[in-house]
Amino acid sequence: RNRPSLRVRMSTIVIYEQVHLTDLTYVKEEECFTFPCPCGDTFTFYIEDLLEGNRIATCPSCSLNIELLVDINDLQSYLQTH
């Protein structure tokens, strides 16, 4: 029996930099963390996205990507104390 081969194309995300929670600025009013981009704009990690497992932020101006290295338990502990 002949079956067509299935090919899955996965997009590759290039990470400019990996950062830690302590590298970010917490903006309580907007429920997010920010990090400066070399282009002058700002990367933003929204808490809701982080809790859902999204650890990559893209700069809205230059499209660089950064990855947040954080454990979900550490994030929840941080939020409880701030």
Side-chain angles (χ1 to χ4, degrees):
R1 186 170 161 186
N2 248 349
R3 291 186 183 196
S5 64
L6 296 176
R7 292 186 181 186
V8 177
R9 178 177 224 159
M10 298 185 68
S11 61
T12 303
I13 297 176
V14 177
I15 302 297
Y16 167 73
E17 186 173 352
Q18 293 180 318
V19 296
H20 297 275
L21 198 57
T22 55
D23 299 325
L24 306 178
T25 301
Y26 180 51
V27 184
K28 189 171 187 171
E29 302 79 34
E30 296 181 32
E31 296 187 344
C32 67
F33 293 91
T34 61
F35 186 79
C37 181
C39 79
D41 207 337
T42 304
F43 294 100
T44 304
F45 291 96
Y46 290 97
I47 293 171
E48 181 177 338
D49 293 336
L50 290 172
L51 293 174
E52 290 176 0
N54 184 7
R55 302 288 190 270
I56 296 177
T58 302
C59 175
S61 294
C62 73
S63 74
L64 285 178
N65 298 296
I66 61 171
E67 179 180 19
L68 178 59
L69 303 176
V70 66
D71 180 86
I72 190 72
N73 294 324
D74 294 339
L75 175 62
Q76 290 173 336
S77 295
Y78 182 92
L79 294 173
Q80 288 174 355
T81 60
H82 289 83

